[in-house]
Amino acid sequence: MTPENIRQALIQAHGAARLRLSSGVPSLVPVLKVLREAGELSPAEARAQATRLAGAGLVGTFVEMRILAGRLQARAVTVTVEPAEE
C-alpha cells in the first residue's frame, strides 16, 4: 500500500482516478474476493468498498486504480477507470 503522504502528493500532482463497476455485474462475490485480497480487508470492509465501487466508485491514484482494475478484470469483472472530478 502506498504511504498516505506519497499518495496525496501523487494525487495533487497528477489528479485522482475513479474506479467503477460497469453495469450488469452479475455477482459481487469475485469483487469481494479481490477487495479482500488486495486490501487485507474484513468481510464487512470489503462489502462497504464493493458498495462504493458499484455506486460512486473508489478514488485513488491512477496506478492504484489500474492495479485494482487489472485484478478485477482477471476475475471477469468489467470496470472503468476515469479521471475523478472532485
Side-chain angles (χ1 to χ4, degrees):
M1 182 168 233
T2 308
E4 189 60 29
N5 62 331
I6 294 173
R7 237 179 129 257
Q8 291 305 316
L10 288 169
I11 289 171
Q12 187 171 11
H14 303 286
R18 183 178 309 275
L19 174 67
R20 287 189 177 121
L21 293 179
S22 297
S23 61
V25 174
S27 171
L28 286 181
V29 172
V31 175
L32 294 170
K33 286 182 180 179
V34 168
L35 291 172
R36 289 203 60 212
E37 292 167 0
E40 299 178 1
L41 303 174
S42 71
E45 292 168 328
R47 181 161 294 284
Q49 279 203 358
T51 299
R52 283 195 300 275
L53 192 57
L58 298 177
V59 176
T61 68
F62 181 76
V63 172
E64 289 171 331
M65 296 301 100
R66 285 301 312 150
I67 289 171
L68 190 52
R71 290 178 178 180
L72 289 162
Q73 290 166 338
R75 295 211 186 223
V77 177
T78 307
V79 295
T80 60
V81 177
E82 58 196 20
E85 297 174 9
E86 295 190 55

